[in-house]
Amino acid sequence: MSNQDRRTAFLHEMGLGPVWSQRAAVLQTLEHEPVLLMASAETVEISVPVAAPVPQQRAAEPTLSAWGDETPAAPATVPMTAAVSAVVKPASDVANMGWEQLKEVVSNCTECGLCKGRTQTVFGIGDQKAKWLFVGEGPGRNEDFQGEPFVGPAGKLLDNMFISMGLKRGENAYIANIVKCRPTDANKRDRPPTAEEVDACMPYLQRQIALINPTVIVALGKTAALSLLKLDPATPVSKLRGTVHRYDEIPVVVTYHPAYLLRSLKDKSKAWADLCLAMQTYTARENG
Ligand code: URA
């Protein structure tokens, strides 16, 4: 199967018909339309090429299931080395840490109550020089167990979204979460992190973002979007989609969380439109 056929197969599996793809020629000739960029304290307009996804002729039906066939790579285990310093540093210190120290401090963090229930912290994974950063909410059961973000069914969909975009886990893409420990309720079921848990963990993600300095951030779901953009907790994801926001100078595109997409198939085509916006934003920023 060629790369294009695989991509078509994945988009097909995302429930997208007709198959949508970007056309470079279309992007080049399109008018530049103003896109609203929202910073936490300011609102500016920039020019980002806006292209409607272009329907293509559907390729021959894929013979293999893109879901079933594409088992993500075996998850790496997070080394649980003995702490050099188990003392969690204040945010100002975190802001100066390199990768190794940051990983170590995160793995020993006791800044909030989530540390009591974790099997291990889930730091993040991928290319430390990635131009793409994907941010989720927090580890679930599988991630807590394996020490890697997005390794369950939602992770499989995320991997397929990557392939649709011409990306691959670990190559030019970094995956992180808002919180590094699994939040659970009284019944040991996954739950979203509280505002206090997010606040306690944010300095770590902020440092990861500063070290990576990605071209584009994709916020996966409500918790990621609202925490990164510091917005009112009542803001629905649907209000944030279709607009390029900013975290510092970095464009942020908001889309649905893969776990939500697994439950709400009808929104997969919207998620693909979001990824198209992210790709256009990436191209515009890379080309200066
Ligand atoms: N959901 C998330 O938001 N992050 C993960 O790592 C796994 C599931």
Side-chain angles (χ1 to χ4, degrees), residues 76-126:
T77 48
V78 173
M80 300 292 284
T81 50
V84 170
S85 164
V87 180
V88 172
K89 307 288 189 291
S92 58
D93 284 350
V94 171
N96 293 316
M97 286 177 186
W99 282 108
E100 288 316 310
Q101 194 185 5
L102 185 64
K103 272 185 203 170
E104 186 150 306
V105 167
V106 166
S107 72
N108 291 293
C109 180
T110 54
E111 284 290 291
C112 78
L114 293 183
C115 64
K116 297 195 190 88
R118 74 183 176 220
T119 305
Q120 59 192 307
T121 55
V122 179
F123 180 75
I125 196 153

Side-chain angles (χ1 to χ4, degrees), residues 122 136-140 143 148-151 154 177 257:
V122 179
E137 177 177 284
E143 290 78 20
E148 178 172 333
F150 284 99
V151 290
N177 279 313
H257 193 285

Side-chain angles (χ1 to χ4, degrees), residues 4 7 19-30 49-57 272 276 279-280 283:
Q4 181 58 38
R7 187 164 174 272
V19 174
W20 304 97
S21 74
Q22 284 185 295
R23 274 201 323 217
V26 173
L27 275 176
Q28 276 161 15
T29 53
L30 271 173
V50 176
V54 179
Q56 282 191 332
Q57 200 76 26
W272 177 238
C276 288
M279 288 188 279
Q280 289 156 19
T283 303

Side-chain angles (χ1 to χ4, degrees), residues 150-163:
F150 284 99
V151 290
K156 213 163 189 179
L157 177 55
L158 183 62
D159 283 328
N160 287 348
M161 289 159 78
F162 282 174
I163 290 169

